[in-house]
Amino acid sequence: MLSCPPPSLHLHLHLHRHLHSTTVCSSLNHQSAPPSTATPDPLLRTHNSKSTSLLHHHHPSTTKTKNPPQEDSNDNRKHQNSAQTSEKKPLIPQHIIPAQEKLNILEMSLVSKRAPQFPGSIYTSSLPSLQSVLRTQNDPQHLENGNDDDDEEEEEEMIMRALEIRRKVTTEIFMAAMKKGKFGITYSTNLANRLSGFIDHVMIKAAALKKLPEFQYSTFNVRAKLVIDDSNIVPLIRWLKHNDLSYPKIAKLVCMSQGNLDSIRKLVEWLKTVHVKGEFIGATLLNSGDGILQRSLEELDEIVDYLESNGVKMDWMGYVISRCPKLLSYSMEVVKMRSEFYLNMSMSVNDFGTMVFDYPGVLGQFTLEVMNEKVNYLKEFGLSTEEVGKLLAFRPQLMGCSIEERWKPLVKYLYYLGISRDGMRRMLTIKPMVFCFNVETTIAPKVQFFRDLGVQDEAIGDMLVKFPPLLTYSLHKKIRPVVIFLMTKAGVSEKEIGKVIALAPELLGCNICKRLEVSVKYYLSLGIRYRQLGQMIADFPKLLRYKVHLLYPKYRYLRRTMVHPLEDVIEFPRFFSYSLEERIIPRHKIMVENRVNFKLRFMLACTDEEFNQRVADKVERRRRFESGLVDDDLANSQTA
């Protein structure tokens, strides 16, 4: 049997292997070093501390450095001479670190995660520390070389690189916190890319924590993680997301808070108390101004109470604030000044509240100078201050129109159509929305369409003054379909269509299915032919605007009581425009009592005095006729 080797042999073999591996590593280092530089000491393993200590115990000679060989006296003399000459020459630093080397040192000193090292590997610390690099930069010997500008650029580049590395480290810590809060990777990445301001805030706070004694020896990662956890940003993000805020809005709000994240939650809760809906909370916070998160809730409550006391109902407050968030950024004095601008125009509190609800931007979107200019321009149409106040209360969107871009081109265009200032004033008071339209895109195409139908420019101007809402109708959805219906279903000829539109532009505002088509079917059911109906409409275009239940009693009275033929209605379609109780029946009774008869035109198309005069003349003529017949009979009898 083979005998086991003694323990000393095992120890000897182990030390021999360890020494051999150390020698190989040191020889590799000697071979890799350039021949011009001094050979560094052999690198020893630092991970296997026990075996290294044992090696030092049995081989103490390995820890001692060998004495360098003594030089000859001549060499010493040469060395002294060279030292004396070197004193006369400027000192040149022998260890200047290149710029790329400095950046590598910076990365090694700031990176959050070191490169993994397996057990038994050699940890090389050949790179000098960051402090040694900075000392080399500030070394007077190094400054004498005249590279101050290059060094400053290198230092600036190193600082920017250091900040970039720290940002990446802080972003990784934030992403880890988001992952712990059970957020998705994509959502966390998109949010982190927009939180540059918050990341910098965390970096500054983490750097400031190092001055405290308890964090003096802690790493940057620990301090940054502590700052993120104390800010409670992850629960806040989840709460804002639950309130229908997208991640771009959340990121912008967090950056606006300047680290005071509690102000976001308080302001969101306050917006809910004034009835701002969740889908508008984010837009309201972002559009209300940068300093909104720094305002106290007492100031905001004061603004809301003032608006409520001036006619803006609390149920409307959320709508008003969400449509005009700038109101929250104004001071109480500014809000009062803007409100009194409208209240001083004899506007009631109810009208003011309705105006603010209809167009919230009228109170906080424009400057006082612009508001005064627009009011003065409206007064040039002949309106008083009270009339302007009523006009703005009815149509506050006028304050959102530009004088140079909207009103002046429109006034010039209407002037060329033959509309006077009084006509424009009527248009402004009846339909002020006309002055909010663009001339080229909205009004000019409609005017050109009327010209194509054969309407003259003077008649177009009269149409617009007579019926200003005509310009508010859609050309392709309202005006054109009505014209096509009149020409195809109502019997109006192409020659007469321009006349019909010019005489009754109100027809263009009637509903085809509910009004026009029903009226056309009723007239055709009376026995009126298609072309006859077209001629009736051309003679009296308003015929199609009357409701059927008002037409039927008149027609029945005409045929059954007055015993007039249908041709009388075709000849005088205006018959349906007169009141049955106030005009038709009383005059018919007078005719029956006086045993006279008139056509519908002479019976209805006159005043009461003219009608009575006509009846009296008719009766006198009949009396003279009858008396003349009696005299002739008496004369003939006497002669016989």
Side-chain angles (χ1 to χ4, degrees):
M1 296 179 61
L2 296 175
S3 59
C4 295
S8 60
L9 182 58
H10 285 284
L11 179 60
H12 179 71
L13 292 174
H14 177 74
L15 294 177
H16 178 73
R17 292 171 184 172
H18 185 81
L19 183 60
H20 178 69
S21 61
T22 306
T23 307
V24 170
C25 294
S26 60
S27 62
L28 290 175
N29 290 328
H30 280 285
Q31 291 176 5
S32 61
S36 60
T37 59
T39 304
D41 293 336
L43 300 176
L44 301 179
R45 299 180 186 271
T46 57
H47 291 283
N48 300 336
S49 58
K50 294 182 179 181
S51 59
T52 304
S53 61
L54 187 62
L55 175 65
H56 290 171
H57 178 73
H58 288 276
H59 295 275
S61 58
T62 57
T63 60
K64 298 179 181 180
T65 58
K66 297 181 180 180
N67 295 326
Q70 297 181 357
E71 299 178 354
D72 296 337
S73 59
N74 295 332
D75 295 336
N76 292 333
R77 292 172 184 174
K78 292 179 181 179
H79 182 69
Q80 293 176 0
N81 294 333
S82 61
Q84 293 176 0
T85 55
S86 62
E87 292 177 359
K88 300 177 182 180
K89 298 180 181 180
L91 296 176
I92 300 175
Q94 299 295 328
H95 300 284
I96 298 177
I97 304 175
Q100 186 63 33
E101 190 78 8
K102 295 174 185 178
L103 295 178
N104 294 336
I105 296 169
L106 192 60
E107 287 192 22
M108 290 293 296
S109 62
L110 294 177
V111 74
S112 61
K113 296 181 180 179
R114 304 291 183 181
Q117 296 180 351
F118 56 88
S121 62
I122 299 176
Y123 176 74
T124 59
S125 59
S126 59
L127 294 177
S129 63
L130 181 62
Q131 289 78 6
S132 64
V133 174
L134 296 178
R135 283 197 299 269
T136 304
Q137 294 291 117
N138 298 325
D139 192 359
Q141 296 181 358
H142 183 66
L143 295 175
E144 289 179 0
N145 294 332
N147 297 328
D148 295 345
D149 296 337
D150 297 340
D151 294 341
E152 291 179 359
E153 293 179 0
E154 292 178 2
E155 283 189 26
E156 184 178 357
E157 185 179 359
M158 291 175 62
I159 292 173
M160 297 303 295
R161 185 68 176 271
L163 290 175
E164 194 64 31
I165 293 172
R166 278 290 164 88
R167 284 194 184 97
K168 292 181 180 179
V169 173
T170 310
T171 304
E172 291 179 2
I173 299 172
F174 173 76
M175 293 281 291
M178 292 288 290
K179 183 179 180 181
K180 188 176 179 181
K182 297 183 179 180
F183 282 94
I185 297 177
T186 303
Y187 187 87
S188 302
T189 304
N190 294 335
L191 184 61
N193 293 335
R194 297 172 179 265
L195 286 176
S196 58
F198 178 75
I199 296 299
D200 293 343
H201 171 75
V202 173
M203 289 169 54
I204 295 172
K205 296 287 289 185
L209 285 178
K210 190 160 186 169
K211 296 180 180 179
L212 301 178
E214 57 269 24
F215 298 105
Q216 185 176 1
Y217 300 102
S218 61
T219 61
F220 175 80
N221 294 22
V222 174
R223 288 180 272 119
K225 185 177 183 300
L226 181 63
V227 172
I228 293 175
D229 293 341
D230 291 344
S231 65
N232 292 325
I233 186 173
V234 177
L236 178 64
I237 292 172
R238 183 170 296 282
W239 185 71
L240 293 175
K241 185 180 179 182
H242 178 71
N243 284 277
D244 298 331
L245 268 73
S246 59
Y247 70 86
K249 295 179 181 179
I250 294 175
K252 193 171 181 180
L253 280 177
V254 172
C255 294
M256 284 173 55
S257 65
Q258 299 178 359
N260 187 13
L261 300 180
D262 293 338
S263 61
I264 300 177
R265 185 182 293 271
K266 292 179 181 178
L267 190 55
V268 170
E269 292 290 350
W270 182 85
L271 290 175
K272 289 182 178 180
T273 59
V274 294
H275 307 289
V276 177
K277 296 183 179 180
E279 57 189 27
F280 300 110
I281 289 178
T284 302
L285 291 175
L286 296 178
N287 297 329
S288 57
D290 296 336
I292 185 63
L293 296 176
Q294 282 72 39
R295 300 200 66 179
S296 62
L297 299 182
E298 290 76 11
E299 296 176 347
L300 301 179
D301 289 334
E302 188 178 0
I303 294 175
V304 171
D305 294 340
Y306 177 80
L307 293 177
E308 187 178 7
S309 63
N310 284 280
V312 182
K313 298 180 181 180
M314 182 56 70
D315 295 338
W316 302 348
M317 202 66 65
Y319 178 85
V320 172
I321 293 176
S322 60
R323 265 63 180 181
C324 187
K326 288 186 178 180
L327 282 174
L328 301 179
S329 63
Y330 293 146
S331 62
M332 191 63 213
E333 291 76 11
V334 175
V335 175
K336 288 183 178 180
M337 187 184 304
R338 291 175 174 271
S339 301
E340 291 174 356
F341 175 82
Y342 298 101
L343 294 174
N344 292 336
M345 292 189 289
S346 301
M347 187 181 298
S348 63
V349 175
N350 294 331
D351 290 342
F352 176 78
T354 307
M355 178 192 68
V356 174
F357 175 74
D358 290 340
Y359 188 62
V362 75
L363 194 59
Q365 189 173 354
F366 313 103
T367 62
L368 291 175
E369 182 180 0
V370 174
M371 294 160 65
N372 280 316
E373 290 179 358
K374 294 179 180 179
V375 170
N376 294 331
Y377 188 87
L378 293 175
K379 290 181 179 179
E380 294 180 0
F381 291 97
L383 299 174
S384 62
T385 304
E386 292 76 11
E387 290 175 339
V388 173
K390 294 180 181 179
L391 184 64
L392 294 178
F394 176 69
R395 185 59 63 184
Q397 289 81 2
L398 288 171
M399 296 299 292
C401 301
S402 173
I403 296 177
E404 299 294 333
E405 297 179 1
R406 189 62 54 88
W407 287 352
K408 288 186 177 181
L410 176 61
V411 170
K412 185 177 180 180
Y413 188 81
L414 296 178
Y415 176 77
Y416 283 120
L417 292 176
I419 301 176
S420 62
R421 191 184 74 164
D422 294 337
M424 296 180 190
R425 176 184 176 182
R426 186 177 187 277
M427 294 175 63
L428 183 61
T429 54
I430 294 178
K431 202 66 177 179
M433 196 65 187
V434 173
F435 282 74
C436 298
F437 292 152
N438 190 308
V439 176
E440 297 180 356
T441 59
T442 306
I443 298 178
K446 298 174 184 177
V447 173
Q448 185 61 39
F449 179 75
F450 297 143
R451 288 172 179 168
D452 295 339
L453 294 178
V455 184
Q456 301 297 325
D457 289 346
E458 295 78 7
I460 293 176
D462 296 338
M463 287 170 53
L464 300 182
V465 175
K466 182 180 178 181
F467 189 64
L470 180 63
L471 293 176
T472 63
Y473 298 147
S474 173
L475 176 60
H476 300 284
K477 296 181 180 180
K478 190 70 175 178
I479 298 177
R480 192 188 297 272
V482 172
V483 172
I484 294 174
F485 176 83
L486 294 176
M487 297 177 65
T488 57
K489 303 295 183 180
V492 181
S493 63
E494 184 178 355
K495 183 179 179 180
E496 301 289 344
I497 188 63
K499 175 185 174 182
V500 172
I501 298 300
L503 293 177
E506 302 87 355
L507 284 176
L508 300 176
C510 296
N511 187 281
I512 295 177
C513 297
K514 296 180 180 180
R515 179 64 60 83
L516 299 180
E517 189 174 2
V518 173
S519 298
V520 168
K521 289 182 178 180
Y522 175 74
Y523 291 126
L524 295 177
S525 66
L526 298 179
I528 302 173
R529 297 181 181 178
Y530 176 76
R531 292 299 177 186
Q532 290 176 338
L533 178 61
Q535 188 61 41
M536 291 172 63
I537 296 173
D539 294 339
F540 185 62
K542 293 183 179 180
L543 188 65
L544 296 178
R545 296 187 60 212
Y546 300 121
K547 297 181 180 180
V548 174
H549 69 276
L550 298 177
L551 299 176
Y552 178 72
K554 298 177 184 180
Y555 181 76
R556 183 179 58 182
Y557 186 83
L558 175 70
R559 297 300 302 273
R560 295 184 180 181
T561 305
M562 298 176 63
V563 196
H564 278 253
L566 181 62
E567 285 72 14
D568 290 353
V569 177
I570 298 175
E571 181 183 354
F572 186 68
R574 196 181 292 268
F575 165 79
F576 292 104
S577 64
Y578 296 105
S579 173
L580 179 63
E581 302 294 336
E582 297 178 2
R583 178 70 67 92
I584 299 175
I585 294 178
R587 292 191 177 185
H588 179 254
K589 288 182 179 180
I590 293 174
M591 293 169 58
V592 171
E593 291 173 357
N594 291 277
R595 294 179 298 163
V596 296
N597 191 14
F598 295 110
K599 289 187 176 181
L600 296 178
R601 185 184 302 274
F602 298 100
M603 171 187 171
L604 301 174
C606 59
T607 62
D608 292 338
E609 292 79 7
E610 294 176 352
F611 176 75
N612 293 330
Q613 186 64 35
R614 288 178 182 176
V615 171
D617 294 341
K618 191 76 171 177
V619 171
E620 182 65 20
R621 288 172 59 188
R622 189 186 66 222
R623 186 187 65 79
R624 287 180 181 179
F625 177 77
E626 291 178 353
S627 62
L629 290 178
V630 171
D631 293 340
D632 293 340
D633 292 340
L634 290 175
N636 294 332
S637 61
Q638 290 175 359
T639 303

